[in-house]
Amino acid sequence: MGTWQWAAGLVAGPASPQDLIAARTQMALSLGWHIVLACLGVGMPTLMVLIEWRGLRTGDEAYRRLALQWAKAIGVLFAAGAVSGTILSFELGLLWPAMMGMYGQVIGLPFAAEGIAFFIEAIFLGIYLYTWNRVPPKAHLFAGLAVAFSGALSAFLVVCANAWMNTPVGFAVAGGRVRQVSPWRAMFNPAVPHEVLHMIVAAFMVTGFLVAGVYAVGLLRGGTDRRHRLGFIVPFTLAAAFTPVQIVVGDYAGKSIHELQPAKLAAAEALFRTQAGAPLSVGGFVSGDRLHYSIEIPKALSVLAGGSFDTVVQGLDQVPRADRAPVAIVHLAFDLMVAMAFALLLLSAWFAWSWWRRRDLPRSRWFLRFAALSGVAAVVATEAGWTVTEVGRQPWTVYGHMRTADAVNPAPGLWVGFALVLLVYLVLTVVILYVLRLLRTERPVAPQEPEELPEAKAR
């Protein structure tokens, strides 16, 4: 019996609505928790390498001390990410057996390659942590670059798999079987460019603002030493530089979604009527088939979607009710994502203006207060963006091919699994925050040269 046949037999009986909600909630929890670590896994190694390179170039030991402290934090986060990533891999098979049984051969390539990237990252992170001053500086820096590259590669591969769920290609279905499988075409599907760009840029923003926020709190409490200033300025500058880039990437993503998933764009904007010159709706709440109390910017959605005031934007009137995403949730998440992005853009502009004028941070303590919250805002924007991506695809797990209700495991008692996973994440969160707090209060020691062997001393 083929895998797809086994999966079809496994889901012969439909899951109860309660178990479907449990499976979706568990997956949302796991993805929402893991995505923060995934962002840090992309951005923090880059920060680490950047600041170590700066230390080697200037000879300033403060940079290398900070790089060592951040490397220890990366080790903690990497271990936690390994746990949550393992949970996610099991959840794909346990919660969604029909999808993996039928389409696993189509989308297995990026998952397999991601496993290789994960082990490369683990190996070079170990080398980086344990070879301070035991190898030449350039070799040590290369190990850090390998960590940064493999972390970004892992994110790229996972996003490729997610993009395929939004624009599934690389296969044909005949007689209930998947045929003519092209794993490379499936991996590099049409949604990959905008999803990967959006995610990688978001990762640098989340990392930069989160790390800078920690040091902003320290500056507010009177930490005026060089470590606090460097710990704030370097990551905040990185995040601020990527913020306007994300606005441009978001525009590109909007145009791509208009072409590839018009129903998702209609849900994000709560556009119920197909029209040319469609307005961009900001705020408001959805009731029935109407958006109430929103602020409309005339024709702006048509410009966002097609670059023209006369672009026709498909509304939800062209989508059967059974195929519509939960409009209220998607629209709220989209507005929240955009609001956080522009708030961070204003904060970045404030920082850039002050640095251009005085080569220093803004003197107002309100800047540091907002900077301390910027990491939270970046995380909220990322979570909201993933909500648009995932909930906006509903009711499909594989867009246009398999519904979420048909993909879920019909076994009863999925709420028990959800409760256990929730407990695991609560414990992990407490442990991570505790250990990171210890690292934050630890005074980093300058890396020392290894002690000479007795034979060398005798010579």
Side-chain angles (χ1 to χ4, degrees), residues 251-273:
D251 177 73
Y252 167 59
K255 289 178 170 58
S256 298
I257 293 171
H258 167 67
E259 296 293 333
L260 300 171
Q261 292 179 290
K264 179 184 287 187
L265 182 63
E269 278 299 323
L271 183 70
F272 289 93
R273 183 173 60 86

Side-chain angles (χ1 to χ4, degrees), residues 14-52:
S16 68
Q18 293 79 13
D19 284 327
L20 176 59
I21 293 172
R24 292 183 64 183
T25 306
Q26 181 176 333
M27 203 70 190
L29 170 67
S30 298
L31 285 171
W33 198 91
H34 184 76
I35 196 173
V36 179
L37 293 185
C39 288
L40 293 171
V42 172
M44 281 207 69
T46 301
L47 275 176
M48 175 186 74
V49 169
L50 178 64
I51 205 164
E52 185 187 5

